[in-house]
Amino acid sequence: MSSSKTPMVNYMDMTIVEPQERMSYLVKHGNMIEVDPKQSILRYFRSGTEMERMAKVYVAEGNHENAFILYMKYLTLFVEKIRKHPDFESKRAEMKAINKLIKEEIMPKSEKLRQKLMNNYQREYEQFLANKEAERIRELERERERRKREARDCSKVGGYTLIPANLHVQIDPNVQPTAPDMKLLDQVVYPNDFPMGGQRSNLSDGGLLLSVETDFRDENNKRTNIPSKPSFDRSQKPQYDRSDSLLAGSLRTVIIPQDTMEVFLKLAQRNTDKNVETCGILAGRLSQNRLYITHVIIPKQHGNADSCTTMSEEEIFDVQDQKFLITLGWIHTHPSQTAFLSSVDLHTHCSYQLMMPEAIAIVCAPKYQTNGFYILTPTYGLNFIAECRETGFHPHPNDPPLYMDAQHIQMDQNQKIQVVDLRR
């Protein structure tokens, strides 16, 4: 479930490594939920059931962070936020069952996950510190090796070599030297007696005065650049991959059987011939952090040329409970129009997307042989429609756009959609 008033947070940009800080971020995301008084309170009860169902899947798959976030959302919703709904007082009986579930199952499970995560975070943090120290030691060793190489390279620089003052050289007074004897000069060197850094220095220590060039050159006689800053930034904390987490802020992929639209249009053909819309509920399951649409549930309904209203919502919930399905969106036809979301469609879809951020709206336009896959824009449209108090068909601004093509869907040619038609 997502709040219409809470911005997405991209956890992949975070560099949190301290265990308590990481846990605080999980709790923060677990608190990101609001109750819209316009939405049916039954929808929130249903959303709680689906959150619990998805949390169990995450636990079974070992994705403890996502499971913990969903349990925290469940607790935030039913311990705190649901009380603000105008119909709360009329649902005391339902709340008794939920409170019993919270006490006996949700809270113990969430506390167990909290402790497990803290232990994992502590181990990861200690390993990080150990790796950091090992890298520091390796960097010191690299620095020592670098200095040794510099010392060796300094033995021959610029074609000149330094001779200390206490070296006695026998010179024939009858011979006037024109240049230093390089074979002799190469024999004794004290490179640490002159400064480094590419500077020229006149050195006089009671010995021979020589001009020494301290530019270091490699085997190709090119300047060798020695980095002055270690390659390991000790202030940088490790990045954690959150691509499989609810904290990532991105939408999980929704897998759709390729034949979904074709099968649905056949079920809607009788209404389409009468220019009457038909609608259905898209339901499925969670696996490996992907959402798979497996069923289309066709509820009892009544429609006309430009709208469709479902009836007996509790029958839909019964089917989902029997088959352990979660709601992943809805599908409907535009018998004589193109594929788009009308103002009524936008408000209908808002209720789905508030409960499940990945929920999609599929619009089938058989006259134009096109299908649309839409979501409300998370950064604008979802908030705008949630706060709009108009009913029926009414104008909305087009800029910025209120909805967009769903980018998080993927077609599956190998799976076949299953149908539950409650109209029969």
Side-chain angles (χ1 to χ4, degrees), residues 23 64-72 110 113-114 117:
M23 182 57 66
H64 296 148
E65 283 186 333
N66 282 356
F68 180 77
I69 290 172
L70 287 174
Y71 280 134
M72 290 303 298
S110 60
L113 284 172
R114 181 197 296 272
L117 287 167

Side-chain angles (χ1 to χ4, degrees), residues 275-294:
N275 195 28
V276 173
E277 286 193 5
T278 306
C279 62
I281 308 301
L282 301 172
R285 58 186 174 85
L286 168 70
S287 178
Q288 299 299 320
N289 212 43
R290 298 180 126 203
L291 299 166
Y292 291 82
I293 294 176
T294 58

Side-chain angles (χ1 to χ4, degrees), residues 257 259-261 263-264 282-283 293-296 415-419:
D259 68 339
T260 299
M261 287 65 66
V263 170
F264 178 69
L282 301 172
I293 294 176
T294 58
H295 290 73
V296 172
Q415 296 299 318
K416 301 297 183 181
I417 196 69
Q418 300 179 57
V419 176

Side-chain angles (χ1 to χ4, degrees), residues 39-104:
Q39 302 298 328
S40 167
I41 194 170
L42 294 178
R43 285 288 182 94
Y44 288 101
F45 289 149
R46 188 67 204 167
S47 181
T49 299
E50 297 187 351
M51 282 191 284
E52 181 201 4
R53 193 165 289 166
M54 286 190 291
K56 288 180 178 178
V57 173
Y58 279 131
V59 170
E61 294 178 347
N63 194 332
H64 296 148
E65 283 186 333
N66 282 356
F68 180 77
I69 290 172
L70 287 174
Y71 280 134
M72 290 303 298
K73 283 181 178 292
Y74 190 98
L75 292 171
T76 301
L77 175 61
F78 291 113
V79 174
E80 178 187 355
K81 300 298 179 70
I82 198 67
R83 299 175 184 276
K84 301 176 183 178
H85 197 282
D87 296 331
F88 174 73
E89 291 297 330
S90 66
K91 300 298 178 182
R92 290 287 185 176
E94 289 86 345
M95 283 304 301
K96 284 183 180 180
I98 290 175
N99 289 336
K100 185 174 184 291
L101 180 65
I102 288 174
K103 181 180 179 180
E104 296 179 358

